[in-house]
Amino acid sequence: MGALAALLVPVVATGQAAVSILGMAWTPTPAPALVISASGPLAFTKTQPEPGVVLLEFPEAILANPLPAVDQPAAGLRGATLSTVDEGGRQWARLRVEADPDASITVNGLPSGVEVRVEKPRQAERAPMPAELDDVLAVADSTGVSVQLNGRGPLEARAFTLENPPRVVVDLKGVVNRVSRRVHPVGTAGVKQVRVAQFATSPEPVVRVVVDLDQQLPYRVDPTSQGALLRVGGEPTAAPEAVASEPASQPVEVAQAAPPPVPPVQENPPAATEAPAQVAEKVVEPAPTPVKIVDEPGPQQQPAAGALTAPPIEQPKQAAPAESPWTTSQAAMAEQAGQAVNVITGTKEVESQVAHFTGEPISLELKDADIKDVLRTFAKITGLNVVVDPDVSGSVTVNLENVPWDQCLDIILRINRLGYSVENNVLRVARMERLTQEKSQAAAFRKESENAAPLRTITKTLSYAKAAQVKVLLTSQGFILSDRGSVVVDERSNMLIIRDASDRLEGIVNLIDTVDQPNKQVVIEARIVESTRRFARALGTVWGFTGAADAEHGTSTGWKFPNWATVNGTSNFGGAGSAATNISGIGVLSFAFGDILDSFNLDFTINAAENDGLAKIVSSPKVTAQNNEKAHIQSGILLPIQTVANQTVTVQYVDATLSLDVTPQITAEGTVLLDIDIKKREPVSGVNIAGGQNAPITTRDARTRVMVRDGGTTVIGGIYQFTDNDQKNGVPFLRNIPIVGWLFGNSQVENRHDELLIFITPRIVKY
């Protein structure tokens, strides 16, 4: 809804002489303007009810003689009319200026009158003429209400819903409101009324149509060749009846147009146009003749065949642009109800005491206007019933442009030290002191009434919740039980005994029923996967020789000294391995050589060994826990650890177990938050630590908090450990000799890869 201005009627000040308006003419020089000449200066108020229309009220002026209307289309002035307003025995003059919607209208005071200048934008800046909404018609049937938005062509509509109170809102972009009636009562099929107003005028006009509902109902908006159709409720099952907005005594005009022939319907029409086709088929049935209730008597006109019905039959062939953000479609509806983004990228306001105004923007220009007349105008704007206390008085002088009407009302009341209260559709205005006093008296009255109310005692047996915990909830903060209320717990039967006023007990019991619900359960399965891969290889040689030169072998030296000699040599690089790999060289090929006299012997052995192993260990503890309750499971042995202090022997037991501690929390989205503490501890066999008397213990622990979807699996931790050893031993220099160097050394390769992964899988138990 765009800028909506009120017709504010100031009162002529008592004791002041009225100024006479003598003439009105268009003057092209020195500047093009509409000049209103008078017998003196004119005080005026300016309002703009719609684009291109300005109303000037002259509360202290009267027309000396009736003046003809003035127009100047070339300058953008469509018409200017001076008239006399007679209300409550008082008379004043009013000027209505109608110009092009894109023209700018300014009013300047003169020593003896005023001038109104109409300035058209430059040709390069002229925007296309906006569409117009000419009529709004609500048609009801047994399943819902059809709201026909009639224009001079298709209207782009964007629809969405609002809460508190429930309503359907349709914004028509680029449209100017030409509907004279603002509120259209319905009162049937779950629809209270239809309201229409100009929501915005710049940067482009927007008309807002609001359908007030008793409760949220399905809706659909379809464009038509002459506007749009809003359907609220289910699909129509019969020819709809027009909704009567006034008593039956008003004039009635009957639509007698013959129903058009129904063309063949496509076998598989688009989903977005199926509903309009069905509506049209219902309309052409010779059901009760549609009638239209008009507000004022006048010459009867024959309505068009589709004036009270759904769009024409051929309309389903017209498809709105799929990507237009202003066109209602299934994709656009889904976007309106899109899921909230959980990622927080900045600050987010969750509570504020700053007042937010959501009323329709209006423009006001008042000078010394009576506060009661202003309030009467606000009653016309809002459709509320206004009640003004007798002691309310004051005047208003403001100049506001495009300000929400509720903010305007708040400002006007505050400058006069007034306040207001709203009950249903009644707005009461009174002095702040009086409203404060009444609120204090009402609070004291409610307090005394509550203290005087009789007490009742009831019992409530709980099925799932602990009575003691519910008692803490009921007695905390003092907002559930009254000051005289009390709660007693019977632990044996898990029962609450409640004593309080009768009007409090119903809410207390409803709260207990909400709290006493079965707690959901989660099955949590953890898996600890360990794998160890070992590889070792040892290669080497062992060789030795002996030689003797003596008479026994017939190989004496023939010298006196040395007459005999012996020599021995050995090389042992067989690859002894290491304790970690538990591998040593094994002789796989041996040679022995000697001469005929056995005076020289050579022994040669090649040693080789290899070890390749893979070990996998999977541990899978599983436990079931209730929502927000901690669960624990453990399996294994307890190792006794003996210590001696002051000649006293003490034995302590240390866990060497597999354990799982977990606390699940089920979220509203169906995911599971898990507080996890998983441990795996076991003694290491065959390993002793120097100076220690007890076996060492290996540990595999993980403690974290994760969120996992129902039935999903996630890795909460992992450890990868790699040990690679490549060792070569030999005789210096000799092992580097090509080809034969391997006779003087050995090589050892040891690889160990350890991997640890911990998985978690929660599953919500379905009952």
Side-chain angles (χ1 to χ4, degrees):
M1 304 174 203
L4 181 62
L7 306 180
L8 298 179
V9 184
V11 182
V12 178
T14 305
Q16 295 183 1
V19 179
S20 298
I21 296 178
L22 305 177
M24 177 176 63
W26 178 265
T27 59
T29 57
L34 177 69
V35 177
I36 312 298
S37 58
S39 60
L42 292 175
F44 63 89
T45 61
K46 173 187 173 183
T47 59
Q48 186 174 1
E50 58 185 84
V53 178
V54 171
L55 296 180
L56 296 180
E57 305 284 354
F58 302 103
E60 302 175 2
I62 60 175
L63 286 177
N65 295 297
L67 299 176
V70 176
D71 59 36
Q72 196 70 22
L77 178 64
R78 295 184 178 181
T81 306
L82 272 170
S83 60
T84 299
V85 179
D86 188 351
E87 183 175 328
R90 292 170 292 179
Q91 293 185 349
W92 63 90
R94 173 185 294 166
L95 173 63
R96 179 181 177 90
V97 179
E98 297 184 9
D100 294 341
D102 56 351
S104 173
I105 302 176
T106 58
V107 183
N108 302 315
L110 299 176
S112 298
V114 295
E115 68 170 4
V116 180
R117 294 190 179 183
V118 180
E119 298 180 0
K120 300 178 62 177
R122 298 178 181 178
Q123 189 66 25
E125 299 177 354
R126 289 182 63 90
M129 292 294 293
E132 296 182 351
L133 179 64
D134 297 329
D135 191 16
V136 174
L137 181 63
V139 183
D141 53 45
S142 59
T143 60
V145 174
S146 298
V147 181
Q148 182 71 43
L149 308 177
N150 295 324
R152 302 177 185 177
L155 300 178
E156 294 184 359
R158 175 178 178 267
F160 55 95
T161 60
L162 295 175
E163 303 287 344
N164 299 322
R167 54 198 185 276
V168 176
V169 180
V170 179
D171 283 346
L172 305 177
K173 180 183 177 183
V175 179
V176 175
N177 181 28
R178 299 299 183 189
V179 181
S180 59
R181 185 171 183 176
R182 181 177 177 275
V183 180
H184 302 260
V186 178
T188 185
V191 178
K192 297 180 181 178
Q193 61 184 6
V194 179
R195 295 181 285 120
V196 58
Q198 195 76 34
F199 179 66
T201 56
S202 61
E204 62 179 332
V206 177
V207 172
R208 172 164 289 183
V209 179
V210 180
V211 181
D212 295 323
L213 308 175
D214 293 329
Q215 61 183 3
Q216 288 294 355
L217 297 174
Y219 65 93
R220 186 187 73 252
V221 179
D222 299 303
T224 67
S225 59
Q226 296 297 323
L229 177 68
L230 169 63
R231 177 66 185 180
V232 180
E235 297 299 327
T237 57
E241 291 186 5
V243 178
S245 58
E246 296 292 343
S249 60
Q250 295 292 334
V252 178
E253 47 180 306
V254 181
Q256 300 177 352
V262 181
V265 181
Q266 299 179 2
E267 182 178 357
N268 295 315
T273 59
E274 288 181 4
Q278 295 175 3
V279 174
E281 292 175 3
K282 296 298 182 181
V283 169
V284 299
E285 295 178 1
T289 305
V291 295
K292 178 179 179 180
I293 306 300
V294 299
D295 295 330
E296 299 179 358
Q300 296 189 3
Q301 301 178 357
Q302 188 69 23
L308 302 177
T309 64
I313 295 299
E314 65 274 13
Q315 184 57 33
K317 299 179 181 179
Q318 300 179 0
E323 299 298 329
S324 174
W326 295 96
T327 303
T328 301
S329 63
Q330 293 183 357
M333 298 301 181
E335 182 180 359
Q336 290 289 335
Q339 295 183 351
V341 180
N342 293 328
V343 178
I344 301 177
T345 58
T347 60
K348 179 180 179 182
E349 180 179 297
V350 296
E351 191 272 337
S352 175
Q353 295 183 352
V354 179
H356 295 280
F357 300 99
T358 59
E360 304 161 1
I362 64 174
S363 298
L364 298 178
E365 188 173 347
L366 306 174
K367 180 180 179 182
D368 296 331
D370 185 74
I371 184 65
K372 294 184 178 180
D373 292 332
V374 176
L375 293 176
R376 184 171 66 247
T377 302
F378 273 104
K380 296 179 181 178
I381 295 176
T382 62
L384 297 174
N385 299 314
V386 176
V387 177
V388 182
D389 279 16
D391 57 350
V392 171
S393 62
S395 60
V396 180
T397 301
V398 295
N399 187 356
L400 303 174
E401 293 289 339
N402 291 331
V403 179
W405 70 262
D406 49 351
Q407 185 177 5
C408 293
L409 177 61
D410 182 73
I411 294 173
I412 291 173
L413 293 179
R414 280 194 288 113
I415 62 178
N416 286 276
R417 298 185 59 82
L418 299 175
Y420 68 91
S421 62
V422 179
E423 298 180 4
N424 296 330
N425 64 337
V426 177
L427 175 69
R428 181 198 170 195
V429 179
R431 291 289 177 186
M432 287 187 179
E433 297 81 1
R434 184 167 183 177
L435 291 176
T436 303
Q437 182 181 7
E438 290 180 355
K439 290 180 180 179
S440 300
Q441 293 175 352
F445 175 77
R446 287 194 299 269
K447 185 68 174 178
E448 293 300 327
S449 298
E450 186 175 275
N451 292 335
L455 299 180
R456 288 178 53 200
T457 302
I458 63 172
T459 61
K460 180 67 175 178
T461 302
L462 305 183
S463 299
Y464 305 101
K466 294 292 185 181
Q469 296 177 353
V470 176
K471 176 186 176 180
V472 174
L473 176 64
L474 296 178
T475 56
S476 63
Q477 303 298 325
F479 70 96
I480 299 176
L481 290 175
S482 66
D483 295 339
R484 300 190 298 161
S486 61
V487 179
V488 178
V489 174
D490 181 12
E491 296 286 355
R492 181 183 60 84
S493 59
N494 199 35
M495 179 187 295
L496 291 174
I497 304 173
I498 307 170
R499 180 176 176 83
D500 208 336
S502 300
D503 55 349
R504 290 260 188 167
L505 289 178
E506 181 180 358
I508 293 173
V509 171
N510 291 337
L511 176 61
I512 294 175
D513 291 338
T514 303
V515 173
D516 188 27
Q517 298 293 330
N519 205 3
K520 294 183 179 180
Q521 297 187 148
V522 183
V523 177
I524 303 102
E525 180 181 2
R527 287 187 298 278
I528 303 176
V529 180
E530 303 172 79
S531 66
T532 301
R533 178 181 294 275
R534 292 187 178 94
F535 175 80
R537 175 185 296 144
L539 295 174
T541 60
V542 179
W543 58 271
F545 67 91
T546 60
D550 53 18
E552 182 181 356
H553 293 86
T555 57
S556 62
T557 62
W559 299 335
K560 291 183 178 181
F561 181 87
N563 182 262
W564 63 270
T566 61
V567 59
N568 296 306
T570 182
S571 174
N572 186 359
F573 292 98
S578 65
T581 58
N582 194 23
I583 181 173
S584 60
I586 302 175
V588 295
L589 188 63
S590 298
F591 300 93
F593 304 95
D595 61 359
I596 192 170
L597 298 177
D598 196 25
S599 61
F600 184 83
N601 295 309
L602 175 65
D603 298 324
F604 183 81
T605 301
I606 298 176
N607 290 347
E610 184 175 280
N611 184 357
D612 191 1
L614 175 64
K616 291 184 179 181
I617 302 175
V618 178
S619 306
S620 182
K622 182 186 296 185
V623 66
T624 301
Q626 286 194 338
N627 189 26
N628 292 315
E629 296 291 339
K630 183 177 181 180
H632 171 76
I633 187 173
Q634 182 175 354
S635 176
I637 62 174
L638 298 178
L639 294 180
I641 305 297
Q642 180 176 327
T643 58
V644 179
N646 298 327
Q647 297 182 355
T648 301
V649 179
T650 303
V651 178
Q652 296 179 345
Y653 290 89
V654 178
D655 289 340
T657 61
L658 174 64
S659 65
L660 172 63
D661 295 315
V662 61
T663 302
Q665 177 182 342
I666 303 174
T667 66
E669 292 79 12
T671 57
V672 183
L673 284 171
L674 298 172
D675 287 317
I676 306 168
D677 186 4
I678 185 169
K679 301 176 182 178
K680 182 182 181 182
R681 299 178 179 180
E682 57 185 356
V684 179
S685 60
V687 177
N688 291 321
I689 299 177
Q693 300 179 355
N694 303 295
I697 298 177
T698 61
T699 63
R700 303 286 191 270
D701 296 354
R703 183 182 296 107
T704 185
R705 177 180 174 88
V706 295
M707 182 175 69
V708 191
R709 64 179 177 83
D710 180 22
T713 301
T714 187
V715 179
I716 65 173
I719 298 175
Y720 292 84
Q721 185 175 359
F722 302 102
T723 302
D724 295 333
N725 182 23
D726 189 356
Q727 182 178 349
K728 293 182 179 180
N729 302 317
V731 179
F733 308 113
L734 296 180
R735 70 181 183 88
N736 297 325
I737 300 176
I739 301 176
V740 297
W742 64 275
L743 297 175
F744 303 96
N746 65 9
S747 62
Q748 298 177 13
V749 177
E750 298 177 10
N751 297 328
R752 176 176 176 140
H753 296 175
D754 294 327
E755 299 181 10
L756 170 66
L757 292 176
I758 302 177
F759 301 86
I760 199 77
T761 303
R763 293 182 177 87
I764 301 176
V765 178
K766 306 296 192 301
Y767 295 100

